[in-house]
């Protein structure tokens, strides 16, 4: 668990489209440019923002963004990603980066949490145990739809998860720590949310 100050480094993206299940490919492409990321246990790659779903791919909008959750001390090193071309089913060019500090919020949302359990009841039990062991009290709402993505030849499974009733320190701590496995493939990374509506997705 990290004790280092964390933030999001947000890169603009330009391109046409990426494959629908891009998570594993994105991690491989990013670490090909920044190999030191593989040695940083605290690093997370947030799900791509500014993408529109198609039948077999995701289309990039003008607001497409790639965000890395990093220790502050690594921000300068990560900026080397700007100007690189990532091959994600289609070519995507990484633009300039801006820093976005973590902000406390009473409601946090992760689109995909993976704790090694597919049964919803078992999933919620494991999540609750891990939050309690981290000293983070929170109320939880699990998404209705199961999530799955391929990684290292296997399949990661889980659910979206909404946490609410968080204090400022607990909120910031959870955003820094994440929950569950595979942060590098976008799982278990929490972002502030205005309401619990997203959990129905």
């Amino acid at each position: 668990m990290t004790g280092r100050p964390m933030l999001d480094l947000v890169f603009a993206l330009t391109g046409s489209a990426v494959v629908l299940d891009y998570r594993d490919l994105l991690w491989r492409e990013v670490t090909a440019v920044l190999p030191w990321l593989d040695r940083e246990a605290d690093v997370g790659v947030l799900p791509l923002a500014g993408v529109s779903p198609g039948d077999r791919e995701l289309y990039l909008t003008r607001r497409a963004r790639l965000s890395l959750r990093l220790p502050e001390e690594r921000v300068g090193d990560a900026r080397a990603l700007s100007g690189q071309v990532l091959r994600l089913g289609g070519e995507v060019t990484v633009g300039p980066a801006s820093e976005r500090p973590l902000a406390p919020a009473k409601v946090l949302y992760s689109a995909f949490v993976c704790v090694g359990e597919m049964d919803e009841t078992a999933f919620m039990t494991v999540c609750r145990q891990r939050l309690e062991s981290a000293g983070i009290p929170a109320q939880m709402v699990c998404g209705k739809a199961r999530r799955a993505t391929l990684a290292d030849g296997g399949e990661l499974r889980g659910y979206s998860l909404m946490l609410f009733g968080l204090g400022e320190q607990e909120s910031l701590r959870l955003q820094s720590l994440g929950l569950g496995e595979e942060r590098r493939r976008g799982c278990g990374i929490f972002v502030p949310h205005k309401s619990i509506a997203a959990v129905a997705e």
Side-chain angles (χ1 to χ4, degrees), residues 2-200:
T2 183
R4 296 182 288 177
M6 305 283 285
L7 57 72
D8 290 345
L9 188 61
V10 184
F11 296 87
L13 295 177
T14 56
S16 298
V18 302
V19 293
L20 196 61
D21 191 1
Y22 63 82
R23 294 170 186 265
D24 186 59
L25 185 56
L26 176 59
W27 174 251
R28 294 175 187 275
E29 286 288 294
V30 169
T31 51
V33 179
L34 307 174
W36 54 266
L37 284 176
D38 227 357
R39 302 186 297 273
E40 285 281 354
D42 298 334
V43 165
V45 180
L46 279 72
L48 293 180
V51 292
S52 177
D55 292 334
R56 298 182 181 179
E57 56 192 358
L58 296 172
Y59 302 108
L60 273 66
T61 71
R62 293 180 181 178
R63 296 184 178 181
R65 297 290 184 272
L66 164 63
S67 300
L68 305 181
R69 187 154 293 175
L70 299 162
E72 289 182 1
E73 66 206 54
R74 280 298 202 173
V75 167
D77 299 326
R79 287 183 179 276
L81 194 59
S82 292
Q84 300 293 323
V85 175
L86 308 180
R87 292 167 177 80
L88 305 174
E91 290 192 350
V92 176
T93 301
V94 184
S98 59
E99 298 178 20
R100 183 174 63 199
L102 301 184
K106 293 182 179 180
V107 180
L108 295 178
Y109 175 72
S110 176
F112 193 155
V113 176
C114 174
V115 294
E117 300 288 346
M118 269 308 283
D119 174 78
E120 182 180 334
T121 301
F123 170 83
M124 292 289 279
T125 297
V126 172
C127 288
R128 184 174 294 105
Q129 291 172 344
R130 294 194 182 187
L131 289 170
E132 288 176 353
S133 67
I136 301 175
Q139 299 180 66
M140 302 187 296
V141 179
C142 179
K144 297 178 181 179
R146 293 177 176 179
R147 305 294 170 103
T149 186
L150 296 177
D152 289 335
E155 188 176 55
L156 303 176
R157 300 175 179 178
Y159 295 85
S160 62
L161 187 66
M162 183 75 72
L163 302 178
F164 58 101
L166 293 159
E168 287 192 5
Q169 294 304 314
E170 289 80 10
S171 177
L172 289 171
R173 189 157 177 256
L174 182 57
Q175 290 178 70
S176 294
L177 295 176
L179 180 64
E181 291 81 47
E182 295 294 345
R183 282 164 56 89
R184 55 188 55 188
R185 292 180 174 87
C187 300
I189 303 176
F190 286 86
V191 296
H193 208 275
K194 293 180 180 179
S195 73
I196 65 171
V199 82

